[in-house]
């Protein structure tokens, strides 16, 4: 508690310092060569270090201008107007009210076409989200979306458990262009791994979503904004990447947009293939029923092959000046195959007791088809209604064959077992959604909406062993289950601009859920019906153009994924496996957040309490069968306090830095077999990106990522050891005709690996696990735009089935 008070005091002191800063006035005159003042000329106040825009106005009829409430600092004034040459002031060191020398604009500059090129900051903080401008990063070029996320501040990707966490919290919902993906978690991770970053404009990390977002996801939303092209004609882009490391990787992407008269057609196709080797290690120790210490260690040398096809196409037809109807179709096929050699040895009282060699082949294939119909009508400029109807279908297959060879303590062969597991999982989702937004007055905006989602899946799991030529099913692990679920929701929100300084947004969402899970072995496993209100509130206070404060509150729900609830088994060795948990319950969280934005500096504090946290990778020990089980489980309560600082620094005109620091304090409380355990960990996350302009059209970039030991909700009460990685890249632009060539190195030190430990003596549990997914990779990327650069972009819109996609696994 003392730490929390100290941090709040520091925040308050920083805020008061920002408030107390003196502000000054800059004034001047813009004239023609004859001395007459120029009316309505643009006047821009720029930071002298990097020409970043601070404020802009236009001159009065007599050519004069005044910029008020400007903080102390170093600036430039730039003035321009069509038909005249631009003019700049001398550098201004502002520490008192300042009058700029008269800026004289010379007439006669011929302007056939003006192209303004500006590079966005890599990170931007808005009222409810942090925006990562992927297109501003060299290292992101040729990467997958998943790799970009892994290098984003506060984001941790668990590839083994197909989970993504944000600032220490799992339950993240992934969106594409503002629409939830509605894919299984494993499919989401594979989709992001197969999605080329060259088709991504930005990624938004939304930790306190507004009421028009689904209430799903305690950690918030990650919204991936795909690039769109900008009147009549065809344009597009393509990129090709190839890399080598411990295996090869290729990422290719092509997109187009065609607009003529009332029709706009757009599409994208991407292909990704990766054959990078992986190494897993598991070690567990326990005391057996005879009181003898037992140690079991397994090494898994994995040779995976992932290939991913993704296609997305749409058509918008303009019915009238106010109405448009649109159709979207998308499909993907992700096939992941693997051959793995697993070596396991057991020590009894530190002496060899047995050895097991487990060879397995696995195929994990996800096929997905989705469709959306959208109608949007604008009643006037500030009011519209939008209606969506979505249908999504998934086919998931996961057959695995195991050959287990058993040896005694002297490594003498004893016997061989052939086992097999298979899972087929067809999933169907239908979603209807309607939203209205309208301006009630100059200061008040109203939003209301309704949504209905119907989900069903069949989960057919077969596990057994061969006796000769006969396959004998394991009755405890073989199961067929079926889920029927209905979610009905409604929301309303009000945006109220109290004045030019203070704005308020209030929202209330209600969701009612009916779920029924039936098993052919256990009958009705889940019969759940509940309704919940989810309020949200945002307050923004703008002190001046450089300083503003934001405060927010939100209540969220995290539902178990379909895979969490469905029975399934994946073996690493005969005593270590992953499984489902039909009894898993939803989690409810409450979160408050406070932001201070001073120019481009970001300071943010967030505190959340969640009851029934879903740990999707919780380890437990089955003493009766001496098995280590990784499965989804509810943790009693999670409390997380985080403090984020975003600090951009311009060293020189050719060297810029973006530094992000996140401190978090995580506390878990959990009761197992009547015993209460408390866990706490302080964590530091550092993300530093440095950009260099080496010559005209030649740039380079270095990024460093560090995450200290942490508790994370998707691994439950286990501790994730520190993670460190360095990435670097260089890029040369050859102009519109010849495109861009880039070279980069991912994970330069080959240090990116997951090391997870868990020690709970009360549960006879002591484990150490290492997951090495990443490899040092050298990658070459070529990209180029084609067609009409002035083409208007495709209409950006979401579908209505985003939350449902996220829960598939």
């Amino acid at each position: 508690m003392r730490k929390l008070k100290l941090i709040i005091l520091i925040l308050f002191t920083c805020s008061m310092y920002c408030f107390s800063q003196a502000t000054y006035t800059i004034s001047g005159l813009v004239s023609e060569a004859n001395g007459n003042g120029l009316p309505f000329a643009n006047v821009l106040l720029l930071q002298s270090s990097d020409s970043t825009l601070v404020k802009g106005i236009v001159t009065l009829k007599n050519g004069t201008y005044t910029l008020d409430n400007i903080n102390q600092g170093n600036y430039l004034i730039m003035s321009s107007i069509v038909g005249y040459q631009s003019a700049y002031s001398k550098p201004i060191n502002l520490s008192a009210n300042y009058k700029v020398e008269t800026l004289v604009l010379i007439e006669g500059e011929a302007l056939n076409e003006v192209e303004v090129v500006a590079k966005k900051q890599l990170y931007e903080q808005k009222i409810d989200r942090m925006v990562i401008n992927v297109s501003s990063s060299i290292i992101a070029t040729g990467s997958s979306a998943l790799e970009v996320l892994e290098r984003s501040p506060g984001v941790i990707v668990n590839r083994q458990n197909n989970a993504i966490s944000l600032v220490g919290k799992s339950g993240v919902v992934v969106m594409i262009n503002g629409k939830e993906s509605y894919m299984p978690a494993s499919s989401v991770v594979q989709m992001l791994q197969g999605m080329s970053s060259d088709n991504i404009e930005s990624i938004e990390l939304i930790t306190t979503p507004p009421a028009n977002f689904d209430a799903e996801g305690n950690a918030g939303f990650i919204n991936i904004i795909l690039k769109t092209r900008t009147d009549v004609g065809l344009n597009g882009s393509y990129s090709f990447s190839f890399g080598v490391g411990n295996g090869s990787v290729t990422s290719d992407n092509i997109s187009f947009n065609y607009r003529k008269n009332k029709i706009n057609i757009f599409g994208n196709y991407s292909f990704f293939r990766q054959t990078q080797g992986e190494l897993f290690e598991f070690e567990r120790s326990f005391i057996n029923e005879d009181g003898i210490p037992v140690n079991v260690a397994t090494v898994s040398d994995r040779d995976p092959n992932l290939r991913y096809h993704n296609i997305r196409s749409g058509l918008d037809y303009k019915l009238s000046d106010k109405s448009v109807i649109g159709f979207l179709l998308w499909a993907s096929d992700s096939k992941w195959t693997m051959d793995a050699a697993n070596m396991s040895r057991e020590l009894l009282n530190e002496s060899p007791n047995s050895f097991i060699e487990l060879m397995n082949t696995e195929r994990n294939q996800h096929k997905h088809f989705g469709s959306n119909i959208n109608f949007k009508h604008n009643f006037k400029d500030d009011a519209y209604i939008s209606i969506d109807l979505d249908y999504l279908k998934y086919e998931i297959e996961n057959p695995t064959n195991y050959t287990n060879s058993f040896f005694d303590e002297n490594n003498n062969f004893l016997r061989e077992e052939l086992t097999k597991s298979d899972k087929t999982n067809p999933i169907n989702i239908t979603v209807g959604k309607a939203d209205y937004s309208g301006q009630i007055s100059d200061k008040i905006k109203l939003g209301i909406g309704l949504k209905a989602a119907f989900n069903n899946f069949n989960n057919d799991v077969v596990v057994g062993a061969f006796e000769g030529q006969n396959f004998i099913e394991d009755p405890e692990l073989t199961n067929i289950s079926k889920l029927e679920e209905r979610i009905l929701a409604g929301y309303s929100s009000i945006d109220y601009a109290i004045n030019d300084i203070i704005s308020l947004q209030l929202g209330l969402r209600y969701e009612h859920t009916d779920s029924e899970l039936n098993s052919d072995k256990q009958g009705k496993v889940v019969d759940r019906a509940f309704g919940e209100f989810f309020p949200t509130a945002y307050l923004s206070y703008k002190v001046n153009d450089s300083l503003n404060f934001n405060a927010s509150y939100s209540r969220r729900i995290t539902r178990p994924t379909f895979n969490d609830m469905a029975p399934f088994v994946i073996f690493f060795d005969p005593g270590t496996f992953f499984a489902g948990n039909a009894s898993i319950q939803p989690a409810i969280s409450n979160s408050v957040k406070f932001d201070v934005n001073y120019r481009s500096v970001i300071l943010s504090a967030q505190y959340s309490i969640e009851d029934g946290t879903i740990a999707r990778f919780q380890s437990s020990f089955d003493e009766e069968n001496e098995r280590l089980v990784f499965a989804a489980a509810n943790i009693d309560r999670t409390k997380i306090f985080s403090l984020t600082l975003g600090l951009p620094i311009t060293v020189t005109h050719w060297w810029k830095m973006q530094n992000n620091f996140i401190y978090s304090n995580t506390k878990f409380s959990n009761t197992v077999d009547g015993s209460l355990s408390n866990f706490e960990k302080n964590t530091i996350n550092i993300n530093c990106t440095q950009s260099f302009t080496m010559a005209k059209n030649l740039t380079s970039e270095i990024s460093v990522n560090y995450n200290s030991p942490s508790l994370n909700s998707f691994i439950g009460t286990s501790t994730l050891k520190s993670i460190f990685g360095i990435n670097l890249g260089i890029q040369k632009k050859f102009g519109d005709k010849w495109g861009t060539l880039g070279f980069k190195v991912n994970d330069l030190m080959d240090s990116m690996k997951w090391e997870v430990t868990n020690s709970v003596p009360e549960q006879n549990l002591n484990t150490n696990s290492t997951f090495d997914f990443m490899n040092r990779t050298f990658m070459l990327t070529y990209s180029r735009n084609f067609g009409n650069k002035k083409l208007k972009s495709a209409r950006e819109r979401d579908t209505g089935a985003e939350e449902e996609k996220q829960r598939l696994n």
Side-chain angles (χ1 to χ4, degrees), residues 458-487:
N458 294 313
N459 193 73
D460 188 352
V461 177
V462 177
V463 180
F466 287 91
E467 294 183 3
Q469 298 297 318
N470 299 320
F471 179 73
I472 309 300
E473 292 184 359
D474 185 331
E476 292 187 8
L477 301 179
T478 298
N479 206 335
I480 298 176
S481 56
K482 183 176 182 179
L483 175 74
E484 298 282 348
E485 185 176 66
R486 181 180 69 224
I487 302 174

Side-chain angles (χ1 to χ4, degrees), residues 70-338:
I70 308 303
N71 293 304
Q72 181 176 337
N74 297 313
Y75 302 100
L76 288 173
I77 294 289
M78 189 272 279
S79 182
S80 65
I81 193 170
V82 175
Y84 292 77
Q85 298 179 24
S86 300
Y88 290 83
S89 71
K90 298 176 182 178
I92 301 169
N93 185 357
L94 187 66
S95 57
N97 293 337
Y98 188 91
K99 186 171 183 179
V100 182
E101 71 275 13
T102 299
L103 299 178
V104 180
L105 304 189
I106 306 300
E107 188 176 7
E109 186 179 44
L111 296 177
N112 295 325
E113 180 178 334
V114 176
E115 182 179 1
V116 179
V117 179
K119 184 176 181 180
K120 298 179 181 178
Q121 291 185 2
L122 185 57
Y123 299 97
E124 293 181 89
Q125 180 67 49
K126 298 186 177 181
I127 186 172
D128 59 353
R129 67 197 65 187
M130 174 181 282
V131 180
I132 305 168
N133 292 303
V134 176
S135 57
S136 295
S137 172
I138 298 170
I139 294 175
T141 303
S143 299
S144 68
L146 193 66
E147 291 174 313
V148 175
L149 276 179
E150 287 176 317
R151 297 193 291 266
S152 299
V155 177
I156 294 180
V157 177
N158 181 347
R159 298 193 185 214
Q160 175 57 41
N161 201 39
N162 297 311
I164 301 172
S165 72
L166 182 58
V167 196
K169 295 186 288 185
S170 63
V172 172
V173 178
V174 175
M175 307 173 73
I176 306 296
N177 286 346
K179 295 298 183 180
E180 294 175 39
S181 63
Y182 288 97
M183 300 176 71
S186 55
S187 294
V188 168
V189 171
Q190 291 188 27
M191 175 195 71
L192 295 176
Q193 190 171 4
M195 180 183 292
S196 172
S197 64
D198 298 325
N199 195 41
I200 300 174
E201 180 66 32
S202 62
I203 296 176
E204 300 177 339
L205 307 180
I206 309 170
T207 54
T208 52
N212 61 316
F213 281 50
D214 290 323
E216 171 73 16
N218 163 44
F221 290 73
I222 294 177
N223 185 25
I224 299 174
I225 307 296
L226 301 180
K227 289 182 179 179
T228 53
R229 312 297 303 178
T230 61
D231 225 62
V232 178
L234 171 71
N235 68 16
S237 66
Y238 58 84
S239 65
F240 305 100
S241 300
F242 180 77
V244 293
N246 184 19
S248 63
V249 58
T250 182
S251 176
D252 309 310
N253 179 83
I254 185 169
S255 61
F256 76 94
N257 188 56
Y258 176 77
R259 180 186 293 273
K260 186 174 183 180
N261 300 326
K262 296 182 177 182
I263 295 178
N264 183 44
I265 303 173
F266 53 93
N268 170 265
Y269 168 75
S270 62
F271 172 75
F272 179 86
R273 184 175 182 269
Q274 179 174 284
T275 60
Q276 303 262 19
E278 301 172 349
L279 185 67
F280 294 177
E281 298 177 77
F282 303 90
E283 183 177 0
R284 70 182 188 277
S285 57
F286 58 95
I287 307 297
N288 68 14
E289 57 184 9
D290 297 322
I292 300 174
V294 180
N295 180 276
V296 179
T298 300
V299 176
S300 178
D301 189 357
R302 298 153 60 94
D303 184 20
N305 188 328
L306 169 66
R307 66 109 180 99
Y308 183 88
H309 298 272
N310 183 73
I311 188 168
R312 183 175 183 265
S313 183
L315 181 149
D316 285 337
Y317 182 77
K318 196 172 182 180
L319 300 171
S320 67
D321 291 339
K322 295 185 177 182
S323 300
V324 61
I325 187 170
F327 305 90
L328 275 177
L329 295 173
W330 62 93
S332 64
D333 183 4
S334 172
K335 184 178 181 180
W336 184 85
T337 59
M338 180 193 69

Side-chain angles (χ1 to χ4, degrees), residues 450-461:
L450 297 171
K451 179 180 177 180
F454 304 90
N455 313 315
N456 71 78
F457 79 77
N458 294 313
N459 193 73
D460 188 352
V461 177

Side-chain angles (χ1 to χ4, degrees), residues 13 22 29 84 98 128 145 154 165 210 347 367 421 449 465 482 546 553-554 586 643 703 760:
T13 304
L29 170 70
Y84 292 77
Y98 188 91
D128 59 353
S165 72
L347 300 180
K367 297 179 180 179
S421 69
K482 183 176 182 179
S546 299
Y553 162 78
S554 65
L643 190 63
S703 74
V760 188

